[in-house]
Amino acid sequence: DTAVSQTPKYLVTQMGNDKSIKCEQNLGHDTMYWYKQDSKKFLKIMFSYNNKELIINETVPNRFSPKSPDKAHLNLHINSLELGDSAVYFCASRGDTEAFFGQGTRLTVV
Amino acid sequence: ELKVEQNPLFLSMQEGKNYTIYCNYSTTSDRLYWYRQDPGKSLESLFVLLSNGAVKQEGRLMASLDTKARLSTLHITAAVHDLSATYFCAVKDQGGSEKLVFGKGTKLTVNP
């Protein structure tokens, strides 16, 4: 059973479109994150949620809107996609000790 | 603001050799993580270090934590080609954000 599952794995879309990435964890963790990994492999926090509540929004454009319907899910919706949004997006979940990452979504905006 | 510095960023080594990757961080934390990432893949959890003096080992990898020096090391013993990957350290921010702040990663290449 996959601990942190995100879909889709690949997403190719045109500029200006709106897209969503879904994330689910079955670990019972309270804390979930979205990270962006750029072409240089740097991992930068975008959002942090604790028990469905937004904890941090790290200077992310408001075209990005996370939604957590329950503490097992944290989805990411992106409006009006731009070329610079192309990256790999990782969902993660953290318990008291371990933190696990989803498989990543490679987003390509053309 | 928590900053995490990892070095070296690139490491090319021969099979059979030993080497150490360093991870320094700027503010107190109670969680330090090491991850491995293969090209095109996710981050695989290697170690979680929770307390000063913690040492964990798995195969040819050993991680340690010195909270007073705000330093963690990942030591590679007798490297083999299969260890080629990018290794990241991450530190949990104690400032209420709960975020994990990552180092820039060390790209390790083990040559035959």
Side-chain angles (χ1 to χ4, degrees):
Chain A
D1 242 0
T2 305
V4 183
S5 160
Q6 66 179 100
T7 55
K9 189 172 180 182
Y10 299 98
L11 195 46
V12 181
T13 188
Q14 289 188 321
M15 281 175 55
N17 283 351
D18 303 339
K19 290 293 177 186
S20 292
I21 307 171
K22 295 187 175 182
C23 179
E24 175 181 3
Q25 54 99 357
N26 62 6
L27 299 163
H29 290 167
D30 286 339
T31 304
M32 294 185 74
Y33 308 102
W34 278 107
Y35 279 84
K36 179 179 180 179
Q37 187 172 45
D38 64 20
S39 57
K40 293 184 180 177
K41 306 301 180 191
F42 299 159
L43 280 150
K44 189 170 179 192
I45 183 78
M46 299 175 69
F47 301 102
S48 172
Y49 267 71
N50 187 270
N51 206 8
K52 303 193 305 175
E53 299 297 322
L54 177 66
I55 303 297
I56 51 168
N57 172 344
E58 287 279 318
T59 60
V60 176
N62 58 16
R63 298 182 295 104
F64 290 79
S65 53
K67 282 191 174 48
S68 182
D70 55 62
K71 76 173 195 177
H73 295 84
L74 180 60
N75 304 321
L76 184 65
H77 189 76
I78 316 167
N79 289 331
S80 304
L81 278 154
E82 300 177 356
L83 292 176
D85 297 332
S86 296
V88 180
Y89 293 84
F90 285 100
C91 172
S93 116
R94 184 178 65 79
D96 204 37
T97 51
E98 304 256 15
F100 294 103
F101 283 73
Q103 64 179 355
T105 297
R106 182 174 293 276
L107 172 64
T108 304
V109 183
V110 296
Chain B
E1 182 189 348
L2 172 60
K3 294 195 184 306
V4 179
E5 286 191 7
Q6 202 175 322
N7 67 82
L9 298 184
F10 298 93
L11 179 53
S12 180
M13 54 193 296
Q14 284 188 313
E15 280 191 328
K17 299 291 187 185
N18 305 332
Y19 211 84
T20 300
I21 300 170
Y22 297 89
C23 176
N24 286 93
Y25 54 101
S26 61
T27 62
T28 303
S29 177
D30 62 359
R31 299 281 187 275
L32 189 138
Y33 304 80
W34 284 97
Y35 290 92
R36 169 182 171 146
Q37 187 179 37
D38 291 294
K41 302 290 187 183
S42 183
L43 284 87
E44 175 191 352
S45 178
L46 294 175
F47 303 107
V48 183
L49 302 170
L50 307 178
S51 59
N52 189 42
V55 176
K56 290 194 174 179
Q57 183 162 6
E58 181 76 33
R60 299 173 189 274
L61 300 178
M62 183 174 72
S64 65
L65 179 62
D66 180 344
T67 58
K68 292 178 183 173
R70 296 184 191 143
L71 170 68
S72 180
T73 60
L74 181 66
H75 187 72
I76 303 153
T77 302
V80 292
H81 179 70
D82 284 354
L83 289 179
S84 297
T86 299
Y87 293 85
F88 291 93
C89 67
V91 180
K92 183 168 87 70
D93 189 357
Q94 297 277 82
S97 72
E98 302 289 309
K99 66 184 177 184
L100 303 186
V101 178
F102 279 79
K104 291 184 177 178
T106 297
K107 185 172 182 179
L108 171 66
T109 305
V110 181
N111 303 303

